[in-house]
Amino acid sequence: MKIVVALGGNALVRRGEPLTEEVQVRNVKAAAASLHKIARHHQIVVTHGNGPQVGLLALESEAYKDVPPYGLDVLVAESQGMIGFIVEQALRNEIKDTPIATVLTSTLVDADDPAFAHPTKPIGPVYPKDVAARLAKKHHWQMATAGEGLRRLVPSPVPRAILQIEAIRLLVDAGVIVICAGGGGVPVVAGESGELTGVKGVVDKDLASALLAEALGADWLLLLTDVEQVQADWGTTHPRPIHEASVAEMRRHTFASGSMGPKVEAACRFVERTGRRAAIGALDDAEAMLGGIKGTVIRA
């Protein structure tokens, strides 16, 4: 089978861990071992998030005063290269008999997407409330609650097309494990003449992964995160794990927009448009999710 596997931020940095190179390399090594179990029997395409990393790059860019800060589009591209290198190297060390390539990917979005006026995507670290208030005032950032602190919010336009899809398809058809659409891809808009321009935003990685999986004709979309299953009524006194459900059943529930909501929406879109299956669950359970043993499986 052909499977698009979307690695959540926990594949690089787990909750509460520092955003160091050592931590990310160690965590990706564990992720590569889990992906190897799938790659032994199936063809995989790997995507990944970049929220913590692109936020850190933005802070570094803001700190250097001799030049204006780089735009989010350039920082997304920079994070793709950095994370792609770490993921590819870990996979090469784990999977020695299959070619692997990382593709710098751009994602077409609409210039008039309402997301640009209403930032919803959290990036960067979690700040204490006093630090967050100071940064928000200094940089004119919008912030949102994240646990006991706050995170920066940036626009997250809806992905419309993966611009490198033909090149990715050629590589996949040649048997290459492709790492692509990192961080949802660099968001770009097309002018009236077709000229492409990067825009300040971060595309949701899960929605971009669903679009990629549909374009590649994937049999499964796996959205790997740091929870074992999707839970209905999460945050209440009686959460209920969902083992398997139809798209219609999943859409009857409400999920947090900053965490599980985009994953459920991405899975539902892929299943609706293809009639195939998607699953959401823990990184270590990836192989078991394909067998319907673990995770939350979403069907037509």
Side-chain angles (χ1 to χ4, degrees):
M1 293 190 297
K2 186 184 300 178
I3 303 167
V4 170
V5 184
L7 299 178
N10 66 297
L12 291 155
V13 183
R14 298 187 174 97
R15 301 185 191 203
E17 290 183 332
L19 195 60
T20 64
E21 178 184 346
E22 180 183 4
V23 165
Q24 295 182 74
V25 169
R26 183 184 68 231
N27 289 342
V28 170
K29 183 177 180 180
S34 180
L35 293 180
H36 188 197
K37 295 177 183 178
I38 305 174
R40 287 180 300 183
H41 308 290
H42 307 288
Q43 187 177 31
I44 65 170
V45 178
V46 182
T47 69
H48 60 80
N50 72 338
Q53 293 79 13
V54 77
L56 177 61
L57 292 173
L59 286 172
E60 292 174 348
S61 181
E62 291 275 359
Y64 186 67
K65 301 301 182 183
D66 287 356
V67 297
Y70 285 12
L72 270 176
D73 51 341
V74 175
L75 297 180
V76 170
E78 188 175 345
S79 71
Q80 278 193 33
M82 176 179 69
I83 300 170
F85 164 71
I86 296 173
V87 174
E88 181 176 332
Q89 183 169 253
L91 286 175
R92 285 185 181 277
N93 289 335
E94 191 72 34
I95 307 171
K96 302 184 183 300
D97 58 350
T98 305
I100 303 170
T102 302
V103 177
L104 180 65
T105 312
S106 300
T107 301
L108 186 68
V109 302
D110 292 334
D112 58 355
D113 192 306
F116 289 113
H118 302 283
T120 59
K121 181 72 172 176
I123 66 169
V126 176
Y127 299 104
K129 292 182 179 179
D130 58 333
V131 176
R134 186 172 68 250
L135 290 172
K137 182 178 180 180
K138 179 180 179 181
H139 301 298
H140 305 289
W141 289 351
Q142 292 193 37
M143 311 292 280
T145 301
E148 297 182 358
L150 297 166
R151 292 183 76 187
R152 177 188 176 187
L153 293 181
V154 299
S156 184
V158 174
R160 297 301 182 188
I162 307 295
L163 296 187
Q164 287 75 20
I165 190 62
E166 293 301 331
I168 294 168
R169 186 178 290 114
L170 285 171
L171 289 168
V172 170
D173 289 346
V176 178
I177 294 176
V178 182
I179 303 161
C180 60
V186 180
V188 300
V189 297
E192 293 183 2
S193 64
E195 181 180 355
L196 298 173
T197 306
V199 291
K200 296 179 180 180
V202 176
V203 177
D204 183 80
K205 166 270 291 170
D206 296 310
L207 294 179
S209 298
L211 188 64
L212 174 72
E214 179 186 355
L216 290 176
D219 300 287
W220 276 83
L221 171 64
L222 293 187
L223 303 172
L224 304 182
T225 181
D226 57 354
V227 297
E228 293 184 359
Q229 288 179 311
V230 179
Q231 293 189 352
D233 302 323
W234 182 82
T236 69
T237 55
H238 296 92
R240 295 176 291 111
I242 302 172
H243 178 63
E244 183 174 348
S246 68
V247 170
E249 290 167 339
M250 293 299 289
R251 290 200 184 280
R252 294 192 188 108
H253 301 289
T254 299
F255 301 97
S257 60
S259 56
M260 192 55 70
K263 290 178 173 53
V264 172
E265 178 60 27
C268 287
R269 288 187 188 186
F270 172 73
V271 175
E272 281 178 328
R273 295 174 181 178
T274 66
R276 295 171 182 174
R277 295 198 172 198
I280 303 170
L283 175 64
D284 294 339
D285 296 336
E287 186 176 31
M289 289 161 64
L290 295 174
I293 300 170
K294 296 285 188 73
T296 296
V297 176
I298 301 172
R299 50 179 167 73

